[in-house]
């Protein structure tokens, strides 16, 4: 569970203010002890004030420079570049921070990022704001690495989890690691195509929307389409996820000329917080606050909200509505009611049946409801806006719908999938107005990333802001008409929906939007029904929208789409059309003039440091200990095997812990102890990685004769890295089905080729135990005979003759005397290399199994990941 942001803020204050004050106190005491001076008594009170006051900015400067120099050194060591840095005019680059926050209020969605990148003349820049490094990018190469290829190195980060905690808790889109995996596994089945076969729920809510729109149209009354569509999809999401009819579509609607400004849309002034309109406004207030917090930066928003949490009021409204629904579900569970097992249960029922924690269950369903509602509302809102501005596209779209479905009939799945122009309009809308225009990630590990400018180094803890909307509108990627609404580009064959190098409206990689299929199906269905009942749409923004909802007059002199927009595209998690004026208390630029705020804070803590310097040591010790625990608790992740990035190999993170004491991650104990895992992973595998990188670097600079000499080093270290990267995924804790071979193709094949699973294990253990020295025992799939076979390889030779299904390391080499034990002079031939290595190794299973290899081999079957082996077997059979 994310920490309270106030505790995190006070911890940061302790680190950046009490720590330098403590250092000054220690130095003054040292001067007095060694008679260099009279210590603190040798300075006047004004002098002490100056010393303590200067210690804080001095610490900030040293900390910032230290991080920068460390990053420069690492980049130099790895022979890669650093992302270009930009600098503001004020200390801590607070002017850039202020500019970003103000731009969020007054600019086009993504406009502030484009301005910074255009001024720098680059697609990727980095800037240190109050000591926190941030990267802004519109480079699709870096985008793909962060979201997909290098997924294990990036996560949502602790900052986002803390921002969301009060209102949204720990739902799937806010968290990382095992909790994210749990949420993902729990919710994914509810968005598969098989669950979307019943179109009746879409029909029900589409017709409710159309009925309300018809009544307004017949009265010649302008309507807030964003508000109406948001209500329809909110009702649909609540019924689909919670099984609860909200019926907000029949609530009090905003009336043109009489409405007031809400958070993301106009609202009826007579609506109350207790009805559905008040609930929707609370959700939207929460999202607006999330966007503002991101723009202000974590340190600033925590300081501004130290005494008043902006999410507290909307959270109370949300809880008052959702808590009784969740409570009723748990009560039904206790009575054995409402737990259908025929596939008709709601996500709430399934979640309650799976978990006992009410808060976790509520966070799960709340996040899904809001995500499902927001994504499709954004898509439909901007599609209708674009159709109102392009009547020729509207006419062609309506013609295809009427020709395919007819004027009245409910569309079928087959008909929805056959309308190519409808899909083209959807894709073009998502290109120009992606529902998720800005993404944020945090580097969980230091890593080398590919960019347009080449391989570059990103330090751990760096925040990366990725602009999807900028990539979608890039003239370099889409041509000179990138800002033009042209659905035909998707019909002519020049653009494909699967082209993730420039089109990623639902993200990509392991965190691709789980509701993608549902969102597209909902939008296609609803748009089809709208086309059957309405022949045109007229934009009345200028005469009917509330004051403050129209774009600024200055936009008329801008370039691109900004010049022609009649609405104000904004972003707060998802894209929306601005129809509100944010409360001044949240967006007043004077509140984020951090030079003034920091001066006040610095003065207060200088006084505290002077009068309570004797207590600093105790306070500092406790605070830093708490901070270390908090950081570890928030950032625990289960990373997958790493890959090569721009000529640099890295040690993959284990998908489980070394022992059983680290939060919810499980370990391989008692079968494989912590000491073995730490030595084997941190020392042994790391040495192979170091040796491989070192050998590759020397190989690229060596003569032909020297390259031939290095072949043995490349083979040995490369094989070690390949084998061990496979080996870590080959294991799983017993609590996560490690050692359990269930019925399936792999078990059938083992029984076929070895007689039984037990006979297979006996044969495998006997052949592997017979290995002299170091080596590997393999269960491999022979692509020629189509059978499973037991094979052994010596030392670190990878298995090349078979497809590896299970590999077990029978090692005698856990501790290295030197990480760079192979070089072009030490390796004259393979025999001499192995003789040298044997003197530097100690038998690892001595730690737990002494020298009894059979006991080790018998124990390891308790943690073999047969689920992973099943996948490898299926891939091998398919490839053959």
């Amino acid at each position: 569970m994310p920490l309270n942001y106030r505790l995190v803020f006070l911890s940061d204050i302790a680190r950046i203010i009490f720590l330098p004050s403590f250092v000054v106190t220690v130095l003054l005491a040292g001067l007095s002890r060694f008679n260099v001076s009279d210590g603190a008594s040798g300075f006047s009170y004004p002098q002490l004030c100056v010393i303590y006051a200067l210690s804080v900015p001095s610490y900030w400067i040293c900390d910032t420079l230290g991080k920068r120099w460390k990053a420069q050194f690492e980049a130099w060591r790895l022979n890669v570049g650093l992302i270009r840095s930009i600098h503001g005019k004020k200390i801590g680059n607070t002017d850039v921070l202020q500019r970003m926050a103000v731009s969020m209020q007054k600019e086009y969605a993504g406009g502030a990022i484009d301005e910074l990148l255009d001024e720098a003349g680059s697609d990727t820049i980095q800037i240190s704001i109050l000591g926190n490094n941030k990267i802004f990018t519109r480079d699709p190469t870096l985008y793909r690495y962060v979201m997909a290829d290098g997924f294990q190195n990036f996560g949502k980060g602790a900052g986002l989890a803390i921002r969301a905690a009060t209102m949204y808790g720990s739902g799937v889109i806010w968290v990382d690691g095992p909790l994210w995996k749990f949420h993902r596994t729990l919710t994914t089945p509810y968005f598969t195509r098989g669950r979307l076969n019943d179109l009746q729920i879409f029909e029900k809510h589409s017709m409710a929307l159309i009925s309300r729109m018809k009544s307004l149209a017949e009265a010649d009354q302008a309507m807030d389409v964003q508000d109406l569509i948001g209500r329809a999809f909110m009702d649909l999401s609540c019924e689909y996820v919670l099984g609860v009819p909200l019926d907000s579509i029949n609530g009090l609607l905003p009336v043109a000329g009489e409405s007031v400004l809400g958070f993301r849309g106009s609202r009826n002034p007579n609506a109350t917080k207790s009805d559905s309109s008040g609930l929707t406004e609370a959700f939207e207030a929460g999202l607006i606050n999330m966007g503002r917090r991101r723009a202000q930066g974590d340190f600033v928003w925590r300081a501004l909200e130290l005494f008043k949490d902006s999410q507290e009021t909307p959270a109370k409204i949300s809880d008052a509505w959702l808590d009784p629904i969740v409570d009723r579900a748990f009560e039904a569970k206790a009575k054995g009611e409402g737990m259908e097992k025929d596939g008709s249960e709601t996500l709430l029922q399934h979640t309650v049946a799976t978990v006992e924690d009410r808060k976790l269950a509520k966070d799960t369903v709340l996040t899904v409801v809001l995500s499902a509602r927001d994504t499709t509302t954004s898509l439909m809102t901007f599609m209708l806006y674009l159709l109102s501005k392009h009547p020729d596209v509207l006419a062609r779209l309506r013609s295809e719908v009427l020709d395919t479905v007819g004027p009245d009939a409910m569309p079928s799945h087959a008909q929805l999938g056959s309308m190519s122009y409808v899909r083209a309009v959807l894709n073009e809308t998502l290109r120009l107005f992606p529902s998720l225009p800005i993404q944020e990630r945090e580097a969980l590990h230091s890593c080398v990333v590919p960019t347009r400018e080449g391989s570059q180094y990103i330090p751990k803890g760096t925040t990366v802001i990725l602009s999807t909307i900028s990539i979608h509108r890039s003239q370099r990627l889409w041509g000179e008409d990138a800002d033009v609404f042209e659905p035909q580009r998707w019909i002519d064959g020049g653009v494909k929906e699967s082209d993730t190098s420039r089109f990623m409206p639902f993200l990509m990689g392991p965190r691709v939007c789980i509701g993608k299929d549902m969102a597209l199906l909902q939008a296609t269905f609803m748009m089809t029904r709208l086309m059957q009942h309405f022949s045109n749409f007229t934009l009345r923004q200028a005469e009917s929208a509330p004051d403050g909802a129209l774009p600024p007059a200055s936009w008329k002199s801008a370039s691109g789409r900004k010049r022609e927009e009649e609405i104000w595209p904004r972003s707060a998690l998802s894209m929306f059309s601005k129809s509100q004026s944010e409360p001044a208390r949240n967006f007043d630029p004077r509140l984020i003039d951090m030079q003034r705020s920091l001066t006040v804070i610095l003065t207060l803590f200088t006084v505290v440091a002077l009068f309570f310097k004797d207590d600093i040591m105790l306070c500092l010790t406790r605070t830093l200990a708490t901070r270390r625990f908090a950081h570890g608790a928030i950032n625990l992740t289960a990373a997958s095997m790493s890959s090569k990035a721009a000529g640099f190999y890295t040690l993959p993170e284990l998908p489980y812990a070394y022992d059983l004491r680290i939060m919810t991650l499980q370990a391989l104990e008692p079968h494989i102890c912590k000491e073995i895992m730490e030595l084997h992973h941190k020392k042994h595998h790391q040495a192979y990685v170091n040796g491989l990188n070192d050998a590759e670097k020397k190989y690229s600079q060596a003569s032909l004769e020297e390259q031939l000499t290095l072949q043995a080093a490349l083979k040995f270290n490369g094989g070690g890295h390949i084998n061990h990267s496979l080996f870590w995924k080959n294991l799983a804790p017993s609590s996560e089905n490690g050692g359990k071979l269930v019925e399936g193709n792999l078990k059938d094949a083992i029984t076929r080729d070895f007689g039984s699973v037990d006979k297979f294990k006996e044969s495998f253990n006997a052949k592997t135990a017979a290995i002299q020295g170091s080596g590997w025992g393999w269960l491999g799939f022979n692509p020629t005979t189509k059978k499973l076979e037991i094979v052994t390889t010596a030392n670190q030779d990878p298995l090349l003759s078979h497809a590896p299904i299970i590999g077990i390391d029978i090692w005698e080499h856990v501790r290295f005397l030197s990480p760079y034990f192979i070089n072009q002079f030490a390796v004259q031939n393979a025999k001499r290399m192995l003789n040298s290595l044997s003197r530097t190794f100690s038998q690892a299973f001595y730690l737990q199994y002494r020298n009894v290899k059979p006991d080790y081999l018998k124990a390891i079957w308790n943690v073999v990941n047969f689920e992973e082996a099943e996948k490898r077997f299926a891939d091998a059979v398919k490839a053959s």
Side-chain angles (χ1 to χ4, degrees):
M1 178 179 179
L3 290 181
N4 182 289
Y5 72 86
R6 293 184 176 94
L7 295 178
V8 177
F9 174 75
L10 293 176
S11 176
D12 288 337
I13 288 294
R15 176 175 56 84
I16 63 179
I17 293 183
F18 279 130
L19 179 58
S21 300
F22 165 72
V23 172
V24 169
T25 301
V26 171
L27 289 175
L28 291 175
L31 292 174
S32 176
R33 179 175 180 179
F34 292 103
N35 298 318
V36 177
S37 72
D38 293 329
S41 62
F43 295 95
S44 65
Y45 183 81
Q47 289 174 327
L48 287 174
C49 286
V50 172
I51 292 172
Y52 277 105
L54 289 178
S55 69
V56 175
S58 298
Y59 169 80
W60 283 352
I61 292 172
C62 292
D63 183 59
T64 301
L65 291 177
K67 291 178 180 177
R68 184 183 305 171
W69 291 338
K70 180 180 178 182
Q72 290 173 346
F73 172 78
E74 289 298 316
W76 169 81
R77 185 179 68 85
L78 299 171
N79 195 28
V80 296
L82 277 175
I83 292 173
R84 180 178 179 181
S85 296
I86 64 170
H87 306 282
K89 299 178 180 178
K90 295 184 179 180
I91 295 176
N93 291 318
T94 54
D95 54 326
V96 179
L97 174 64
Q98 180 172 346
R99 174 182 172 183
M100 294 290 292
V102 173
S103 292
M104 184 205 165
Q105 179 186 7
K106 297 183 177 181
E107 261 300 342
Y108 200 99
I113 296 176
D114 281 331
E115 283 186 6
L116 286 175
L117 295 172
D118 289 342
E119 290 174 6
S122 176
D123 284 340
T124 305
I125 59 170
Q126 66 176 328
I127 182 169
S128 177
I129 300 178
L130 295 177
N132 295 318
N133 203 38
K134 290 182 180 291
I135 291 174
F136 298 91
T137 185
R138 59 188 176 196
D139 182 349
T141 303
L142 179 55
Y143 187 105
R144 180 176 186 83
Y145 182 83
V146 171
M147 304 297 288
D149 297 342
F151 173 78
Q152 71 275 6
N153 292 322
F154 294 88
K156 289 300 185 81
L160 180 62
I162 294 171
R163 272 177 251 149
T166 304
M167 180 72 184
Y168 304 111
S170 55
V172 64
I173 63 176
W174 316 113
V175 297
D176 294 311
L179 187 54
W180 167 74
K181 287 186 176 181
F182 165 78
H183 280 302
R184 188 87 180 184
T185 302
L186 182 70
T187 56
T188 297
Y190 282 79
F191 295 94
T192 59
R193 294 185 184 274
R195 295 279 304 188
L196 303 178
N197 286 331
D198 185 5
L199 298 177
Q200 288 298 326
I201 189 172
F202 299 158
E203 173 73 359
K204 172 184 175 181
H205 294 285
S206 295
M207 296 312 296
L209 170 66
I210 289 171
S211 175
R212 201 71 199 267
M213 291 177 68
K214 279 187 173 181
S215 64
L216 294 171
E218 289 169 358
D220 194 30
Q221 182 176 339
M223 62 192 80
D224 186 338
V225 172
Q226 181 172 246
D227 176 75
L228 278 168
I229 292 175
R231 289 168 182 263
F233 283 116
M234 185 68 177
D235 293 346
L236 193 159
S237 297
C238 287
E239 184 169 348
Y240 185 81
V241 176
L242 305 175
V244 175
L246 186 62
D247 198 31
S248 66
I249 194 69
N250 292 315
L252 286 173
L253 299 181
V255 179
E258 301 177 10
S259 62
V260 295
L261 297 171
F263 277 90
R264 289 211 297 181
S266 55
R267 69 178 182 89
N268 192 309
N270 297 317
T272 64
K273 292 182 179 180
S274 60
D275 64 16
S276 58
S277 299
L279 175 65
T280 301
E281 187 167 330
F283 288 152
E284 293 174 347
L287 294 174
I288 289 291
N289 289 333
M290 286 281 291
R292 173 183 50 77
R293 286 175 169 183
R294 178 172 66 186
Q296 290 176 336
D298 287 338
F299 184 84
V300 177
W301 79 258
R302 291 168 190 165
L304 296 178
E305 298 187 27
L306 185 60
F307 301 106
K308 177 61 177 177
D309 186 347
S310 65
Q311 297 285 49
E312 185 174 347
T313 299
K316 287 181 179 178
I317 297 173
S318 171
D319 291 344
W321 168 72
L322 187 56
D323 282 345
I325 297 174
V326 175
D327 289 343
R328 287 196 296 270
F330 274 99
E331 291 170 3
K333 174 187 175 181
K335 298 176 182 178
E337 302 172 354
M339 296 290 111
E340 294 84 353
K341 298 299 183 182
D342 58 358
S344 63
E345 72 272 20
T346 64
L347 176 60
L348 174 59
Q349 290 173 327
H350 179 66
T351 302
V352 168
T354 305
V355 304
E356 297 296 333
D357 189 326
R358 293 179 183 239
K359 179 69 166 60
L360 181 61
K362 184 179 76 171
D363 294 347
T364 300
V365 296
L366 175 61
T367 301
V368 173
V369 166
L370 291 181
S371 301
R373 178 248 187 190
D374 265 33
T375 302
T376 324
T377 298
S378 173
L379 171 55
M380 288 292 297
T381 298
F382 286 102
M383 183 157 55
L384 288 177
Y385 164 66
L386 290 168
L387 291 176
S388 71
K389 291 173 65 66
H390 297 84
D392 56 327
V393 175
L394 174 60
R396 181 175 173 183
L397 181 69
R398 189 164 189 267
S399 176
E400 182 182 60
V401 168
L402 296 179
D403 290 344
T404 305
V405 186
D408 300 307
M410 186 182 88
S412 65
H413 271 285
Q415 290 170 331
L416 293 173
S418 67
M419 293 185 287
S420 59
Y421 196 70
V422 172
R423 191 58 172 247
V425 172
L426 285 170
N427 286 334
E428 186 69 352
T429 303
L430 287 169
R431 186 184 70 82
L432 289 174
F433 298 98
S435 299
L436 305 172
I438 306 294
Q439 286 297 303
E440 176 183 342
R441 294 292 185 269
E442 179 181 303
L444 304 177
H445 315 281
S446 298
C447 55
V448 177
V449 301
T451 70
R452 287 187 64 209
E453 288 76 23
S455 299
Q456 298 184 321
Y457 176 78
I458 294 182
K460 177 181 177 180
T462 301
T463 299
V464 183
I465 307 296
L466 307 115
S467 179
T468 308
I469 189 172
S470 301
I471 295 174
H472 279 194
R473 298 187 181 188
S474 168
Q475 291 188 359
R476 180 178 63 82
L477 298 173
W478 294 92
E480 295 183 358
D481 65 342
D483 288 324
V484 178
F485 178 65
E486 182 50 78
Q488 190 61 33
R489 75 175 81 233
W490 300 89
I491 302 293
D492 294 337
V495 180
K496 294 183 178 180
E497 189 176 329
S498 59
D499 185 4
T500 56
S501 65
R502 54 177 175 170
F503 185 63
M504 57 287 286
F506 295 99
L507 314 183
M508 65 172 72
R511 293 195 87 133
V512 65
C513 178
I514 58 177
K516 172 185 175 181
D517 291 336
M518 182 177 183
L520 292 174
L521 181 61
Q522 287 178 343
T524 304
F525 187 96
M526 189 168 285
M527 184 53 65
T528 298
R529 294 306 258 160
L530 286 172
M531 292 299 100
Q532 290 174 310
H533 290 84
F534 298 97
S535 58
N536 66 349
F537 299 92
T538 303
L539 190 65
R540 294 186 179 178
Q541 187 81 347
E543 58 268 29
S544 301
D547 293 338
L550 296 176
S554 60
W555 283 20
K556 294 298 181 182
S557 59
S559 59
R561 287 202 60 87
K562 189 175 179 180
R563 178 175 54 209
E564 63 181 69
E565 297 294 17
E566 297 182 55
I567 61 173
W568 194 331
R570 294 282 303 280
S571 171
L573 182 63
S574 61
M575 182 86 88
F576 67 97
S577 172
K578 180 180 184 293
S579 298
Q580 101 292 355
S581 177
E582 292 80 7
R585 64 179 178 84
N586 286 337
F587 286 87
D588 188 344
R590 289 173 297 179
L591 285 177
I592 51 177
D593 186 341
M594 286 306 299
Q595 287 187 319
R596 301 177 188 176
S597 301
L598 290 177
T599 299
V600 175
I601 294 174
L602 182 60
T603 301
L604 290 174
F605 278 93
T606 298
V607 174
V608 170
L610 282 170
F611 288 99
F612 298 98
K613 57 181 180 293
D614 293 337
D615 298 321
I616 287 179
M617 174 66 83
L618 179 61
C619 179
L620 178 67
T621 302
R622 290 177 177 175
T623 302
L624 290 182
T626 301
R627 179 62 172 169
R628 284 195 298 271
F629 170 78
H631 188 271
I634 293 173
N635 286 286
L636 277 173
T637 61
S640 58
M641 188 181 87
S642 66
S643 59
K644 182 180 179 183
F648 175 64
Y649 294 92
T650 58
L651 181 70
E653 292 288 327
L654 293 181
Y656 33 77
Y658 292 116
D659 60 22
L660 294 172
R661 295 190 295 273
I662 305 181
M663 299 295 288
T664 59
L665 290 180
Q666 301 299 306
L668 304 181
E669 292 181 333
H671 309 292
I672 305 295
C673 69
K674 171 187 176 183
E675 288 76 16
I676 286 181
M677 291 305 299
E678 286 185 329
L679 287 171
H680 201 175
H681 181 251
K682 291 182 179 179
K683 300 294 185 181
H684 178 191
H685 192 172
Q686 182 65 66
Y688 286 120
V689 171
N690 294 342
L692 179 58
N693 288 328
D694 189 49
E696 277 207 348
K697 181 178 180 181
K698 292 174 181 177
Y699 188 89
S700 64
Q701 302 170 355
S703 64
L704 177 59
E705 181 180 359
E706 291 169 336
Q707 287 181 346
L708 293 174
T709 303
L710 286 167
Q711 291 294 324
L714 290 169
K715 177 183 177 182
F716 185 83
N717 289 289
H721 181 49
I722 292 172
N723 290 348
H724 284 86
S725 295
L726 182 149
F727 181 62
W728 305 132
K729 298 184 72 176
N730 217 128
L731 304 176
S734 299
S735 59
E736 296 181 4
N737 296 324
K740 297 177 183 178
L741 177 57
V742 299
E743 297 295 331
N745 294 333
L746 177 59
K747 185 174 182 180
D748 292 342
I750 290 176
T751 303
R752 178 197 67 201
D753 296 334
F754 299 99
S756 70
V757 175
D758 289 339
K759 290 181 180 180
F760 154 67
K761 291 180 180 179
E762 291 175 5
S763 178
F764 188 100
N765 289 357
K767 291 185 178 181
T768 304
I771 295 175
Q772 297 298 315
S774 301
W776 290 78
W778 300 95
L779 173 63
F781 177 77
N782 190 324
T784 303
T785 64
K786 312 296 184 184
K787 291 184 177 182
L788 293 172
E789 298 174 359
I790 298 172
V791 188
T792 61
T793 58
N795 301 308
Q796 293 305 323
D797 292 351
L799 182 61
L800 302 178
S801 59
H802 297 63
I805 308 301
I806 296 174
I808 294 182
D809 186 4
I810 192 74
W811 72 99
E812 295 180 352
H813 45 261
V814 129
R815 187 176 61 239
F816 296 100
L817 299 181
S818 171
Y820 299 99
F821 56 88
I822 294 178
N823 56 61
Q824 60 188 27
F825 304 107
V827 182
Q828 299 299 325
N829 52 62
K831 181 176 179 180
R832 181 176 177 183
M833 176 187 67
L834 294 175
N835 290 336
S836 174
L837 287 172
S838 65
R839 292 191 296 270
T840 68
F841 299 150
S842 63
Q843 289 186 321
F845 45 78
Y846 276 176
L847 293 172
Q848 188 172 5
Y849 296 99
R850 305 306 178 189
N851 64 341
V852 185
K853 293 181 181 180
D855 287 353
Y856 158 71
L857 290 169
K858 182 178 179 181
I860 202 169
W861 290 108
N862 293 299
V863 289
V864 167
N865 188 348
F866 282 106
E867 292 181 1
E868 177 69 18
E870 185 82 47
K871 295 177 184 177
R872 293 179 190 163
F873 177 66
D875 292 341
V877 172
K878 184 178 179 180
S880 66

